[in-house]
Amino acid sequence: INHYRRYFSDFTDLLPEKMCVPEPVLLNTSVAEQYSQCHNMNDLHVVTEIIQKKYPHLMNDWMSTLNGNILFPYNMVKFPNDIFKEYVNFMVSILQNFQEVTGTKTYEEMKEHVKSYDRPEYQVRLLSFLAERISTLFIRLMVLSKGMEVIPVGIVKFDNAW
C-alpha cells in the first residue's frame, strides 16, 4: 500500500517475500503519549477496548506497542500476499468496529465526531492515525510471532507533505 503523496524510495518489488515498511520513527515519548499530544485519546481508548474484546490474546502486545516509542508511520506496507491478506483483515476488523462503536461510518458522521477536537479539519483523518498504531502492532506481531524479517525502506514525498 502506498500513500497518495509518498512512495517507497527503494525497489521493494525485488523483495517479494519480505515485509517492507517505512523506516520507523523513534519518538521522544511513548506511542500513546504522542497520540494524546496530537489527537483525542478517547479514540485510542475505543481501539484498546475493541482489541481487548476481539483479540484479548494480543493485549500485552498492544500495550507494549502503546508504551513503546517506535511507530511505523504513513500506513504504507509491502507484504507477501498471505501476510497482506491477514493485515487487511486485522485492520478492517478493528477499524470497522471502531466506526460502528463511534457512529462514524460516513464522512459526515466523522466530521461530527471530531468537531470539538483541536483542528477538526485535520482530525477527521483519525482512522488513518489509528491505523498507524494498529499497523505498528501488526508489524510487531509478525516479527515476534512469525519471525518475519522487516525491511525498513526510505520514503519519497511529494507536495512538501509529511
Side-chain angles (χ1 to χ4, degrees):
I1 297 176
N2 273 324
H3 186 278
Y4 69 103
R5 294 179 301 195
R6 297 179 196 109
Y7 299 89
F8 286 122
S9 63
D10 207 344
F11 297 99
T12 58
D13 56 334
L14 299 177
L15 306 166
E17 296 306 314
K18 302 290 184 187
M19 290 179 43
C20 299
V21 298
E23 292 177 357
V25 173
L26 299 177
L27 303 170
N28 293 326
T29 188
S30 72
V31 170
E33 180 60 29
Q34 186 272 344
Y35 192 90
S36 74
Q37 292 169 3
C38 300
H39 311 292
N40 188 309
M41 195 63 175
N42 291 332
D43 296 323
L44 196 60
H45 289 311
V46 171
V47 169
T48 298
E49 290 171 9
I50 291 166
I51 291 172
Q52 174 67 50
K53 187 175 181 179
K54 293 180 78 80
Y55 304 102
H57 61 286
L58 299 181
M59 278 306 292
N60 286 340
D61 289 302
W62 176 242
M63 296 313 295
S64 292
T65 298
L66 294 181
N67 292 325
N69 70 332
I70 296 172
L71 179 69
F72 289 95
Y74 313 131
N75 295 313
M76 295 173 59
V77 298
K78 189 251 173 222
F79 296 155
N81 285 340
D82 59 328
I83 302 295
F84 184 73
K85 288 176 186 174
E86 188 176 341
Y87 170 79
V88 169
N89 289 333
F90 182 68
M91 183 69 69
V92 168
S93 76
I94 295 170
L95 292 179
Q96 265 185 346
N97 201 296
F98 176 87
Q99 289 180 296
E100 291 167 9
V101 168
T102 59
T104 56
K105 291 183 179 180
T106 68
Y107 183 70
E108 292 304 317
E109 291 170 337
M110 187 67 72
K111 283 177 29 181
E112 182 66 24
H113 179 78
V114 301
K115 74 179 182 183
S116 66
Y117 293 8
D118 183 38
R119 301 186 311 153
E121 67 288 345
Y122 173 70
Q123 299 299 338
V124 76
R125 298 172 24 209
L126 73 98
L127 292 178
S128 296
F129 305 136
L130 293 169
E132 288 177 322
R133 280 79 190 162
I134 299 165
S135 286
T136 299
L137 168 64
F138 187 86
I139 293 163
R140 172 188 174 85
L141 292 170
M142 292 300 101
V143 170
L144 294 177
S145 68
K146 295 192 178 188
M148 296 288 298
E149 182 182 358
V150 173
I151 309 292
V153 180
I155 301 298
V156 175
K157 66 177 182 146
F158 296 93
D159 295 337
N160 296 321
W162 279 116

